[in-house]
Amino acid sequence: MNQKVLQTLEYNKILERLAAYASCEDTKKRCLSLAPVTDIDKINELQQTTTDALTRLYRSSGISFAGIHNINASLKRLDIGSSLNTVELLRICSLLEVAKRAKAFGRAAREDEAADSLTPLFEQIEPLSPLHEEIRRCILGEDEIADDASPALFKIRKSIHGMSDRIHAQLTSLMNNTTTRSYLQDAVVTMRDGRYCLPVKAEAKASIPGMVHDQSSSGSTLFIEPMAVVNLNNELRELYLKEQEEINVILMDLSNQVAGYQMAIQQDFEILAELDFIFAKANLAKSYDGVAPVFNERGYIRIRKGRHPLLDSKKVVPIDVEIGNTYKQLIVTGPNTGGKTVSLKTVGLLSLMGQSGLHIPAGDRSELAVFEEIFADIGDEQSIEQSLSTFSSHMANIIRILEKANDRSLVLFDELCAGTDPTEGAALAISILHKLNQYGSIVMATTHYSELKVYALTSAGVENACCEFDVETLSPTYRLLIGIPGKSNAFAISSKLGLPDNIIDDARDRIGQKDAQFEDLLASLESSRQTIEKEQLEINQYKDEIENLKKKLEEKHERLDQSKDKILRDANEEAYRILKEAKDLADETIRNFNKYGQGSAPMSQMEKERTKVRDKMSEKEKRLSGIKKQETQNHPIPKNLRIGDTVKVLSMNLKGTVHTLPNAKGDLYVQMGILRSLVNIKDLVVIDEDALSPSKKYGGSAGSKIKMSKSASVSTEINLIGLNTDEAIARLDKYLDDAYIAHIPTVRIVHGKGTGALRTAVHNHLKRLKYVKSFQLAEFGEGDAGVTIAKFE
């Protein structure tokens, strides 16, 4: 890739931003020297590592590679048996600390996700924790070794502290002496050349015997080591020498330990430097929300929502560019400052970045082609030193491009052949584009020449494009519109800025009729495009609304289906429970019947069991009444009730006859067979007997009306308890006649047990009636000896 295009498209500025995310100095140099590659497999590999690193950054809080140092020189010194100093050992320790951090980062990410292209790199890292901890324990800083780095060093430093205390005590004793204190400039202990001294006045030099080590700048103070501490200072100096010897021993020991892991440390440095580079690319991609483009070798470019990475992401307008499929040349026209050059640089710069393994600031599924060379003729190429005009310098560059371009080249022209006679310049531009079209090069060029617009309309493999411009506001929208030639809008802009209309009209008259018609056609196309675009936007909005409504409807159906399934499931479970409970009750009743049927159990126990069953039935009825309570609240309250009206008690789901009129609270008695219950009028529904009568509906005879009326009102049971024999037989006789006329097949006669006199009278009366087919006492649980069941003929 030629170096000129890297400078022209400002690729170096991208590399500077990339280097800012690197931690190691070697990695920064590598970032600044990053160059595009032309092997598609290598490009895809570089893109994959960047993608995997970016995925790990989004998945976790990130990783820092700060602390990586180039330790190659130190490792070479170990090869020749040299000892490393504290700075070198601390750099190795820092490298191992980064290795430990990176190993933990790679291991944490691997637990959650499948392996990626970075997994082998993380797995090969050797943190060497024992060596790292040993160096950190022994060396506290570049100029400080820990006291407990070795037992000998600890002992020596303990002796040094003791000796220093003895010297201080001796000197303090001298300073406390009244005579000696008068000879001192200050009552302080100082140190010169590693030996403890006292600041003595120059005139009192002879009064304090000792060795002079230094004097003040004024000469008024001499720093004298009193003879009393000379031997002590000598011993202290010897201890310092022993300390340094022990430190050298410690450093040699640590160096030998490092030498044992020399290959692992070298590998850690190389892997961490590689990861630092990869994650620098990932952090750069994250900064501008980059994506990995799809690469091809067909020369096809399709950039979706592409943004120039050096412009403010909040202000830059994304562009869509497609070239290399049905057309290989794109001619971009439009007014100045409309975004033509930015569009040109965006395509070139994104191609360079993609082939370097960097993500591009664009939308998903963007495609780029692999180019062997990218050429750009952009900007002012004027050279005073070489006596080249703008046109000459551009033409010299174009000649070099024509010599090297081929079918795997991307060529970018800004204002092709500008700076000369428009007619000749347009002709040259068309010839150059035609030649490159024969080469098969992918070309994107900007121009103001109308002849190039016609060339694009009439030539195969060439397409027009323009940068949209809002004439009303005199400002560009920076949108790139492919398939539409642009207008210069010179007349419109001049008119908006206040140029007199007569000048503009005169200018219009001076241009050719064909040119005017062509410009009018462009204006008409632009107006039609804006209308279609507006309608398309409305259609898309309607489609989005329809999709939202469809989605809501599907969610509603899904919720209904789920509710339906739940209701059916709950109903089945409840039915199963009721059946099981009924079966258990039946089994228990059969067992009790078999038990009590043997005559060994007292009648009170049987009645107790019967009461228990009746209580269960009452409990179920209460639950049922609770379920139907809502239904009862919605029916109309009966009005004008009369004694004898047939009603339905909703809470009990039974029919009955009004026995009393409602009181002030709406309570009244209703006779339901043998049951006489106090209910509220709100719990009643009046039954229209005429509506239930088939004779009313179908026009039957009077006899059939009586018969149907009887069947609707006559109960299947009569209660004779509390009546004497004569009263009971009279009421029974009338009841049996009504029941027989109503075609009731079977009736229950409740006479109770008592002395048995009423039961006997009932049985004798039944024997005398010809329409009574048979009668018998009720079964156990149905009233047994207290009830007689009679069947009619």
Side-chain angles (χ1 to χ4, degrees), residues 141-258:
E142 294 183 1
D143 300 318
E144 185 178 4
I145 303 295
D147 292 344
D148 58 350
S150 72
L153 182 63
F154 181 81
K155 183 177 179 181
I156 291 171
R157 286 186 172 174
K158 185 177 181 181
S159 299
I160 288 174
H161 291 316
M163 186 61 64
S164 296
D165 292 342
R166 288 179 59 189
I167 294 173
H168 271 277
Q170 187 70 30
L171 293 176
T172 302
S173 176
L174 289 174
M175 287 188 298
N176 290 335
N177 185 284
T178 306
T179 305
T180 304
R181 184 182 299 176
S182 63
Y183 302 143
L184 300 179
Q185 248 345 329
D186 295 297
V188 294
V189 177
T190 185
M191 181 171 281
R192 288 292 184 274
D193 297 330
R195 303 181 75 88
Y196 288 102
C197 306
L198 291 176
V200 181
K201 298 176 181 178
E203 60 271 17
K205 173 183 177 181
S207 302
I208 299 181
M211 300 175 61
V212 178
H213 289 281
D214 197 4
Q215 68 177 2
S216 64
S217 57
S218 62
S220 60
T221 303
L222 299 176
F223 296 95
I224 298 177
E225 177 185 1
M227 294 300 298
V229 296
V230 169
N231 290 333
L232 294 178
N233 270 328
N234 289 338
E235 292 180 15
L236 181 62
R237 172 72 67 164
E238 291 177 2
L239 289 175
Y240 279 132
L241 293 175
K242 289 182 180 179
E243 179 190 30
Q244 188 59 47
E245 290 176 0
E246 184 59 26
I247 288 175
N248 292 336
V249 171
I250 293 170
L251 294 179
M252 178 59 74
D253 180 62
L254 291 175
S255 299
N256 291 334
Q257 292 185 47
V258 171

Side-chain angles (χ1 to χ4, degrees), residues 760-780:
T760 302
V762 169
H763 287 185
N764 291 333
H765 183 70
L766 292 175
K767 289 177 183 179
R768 293 194 295 270
L769 298 176
K770 294 180 179 181
Y771 52 78
V772 176
K773 182 179 180 180
S774 63
F775 61 89
Q776 62 184 19
L777 292 174
E779 299 290 338
F780 174 75

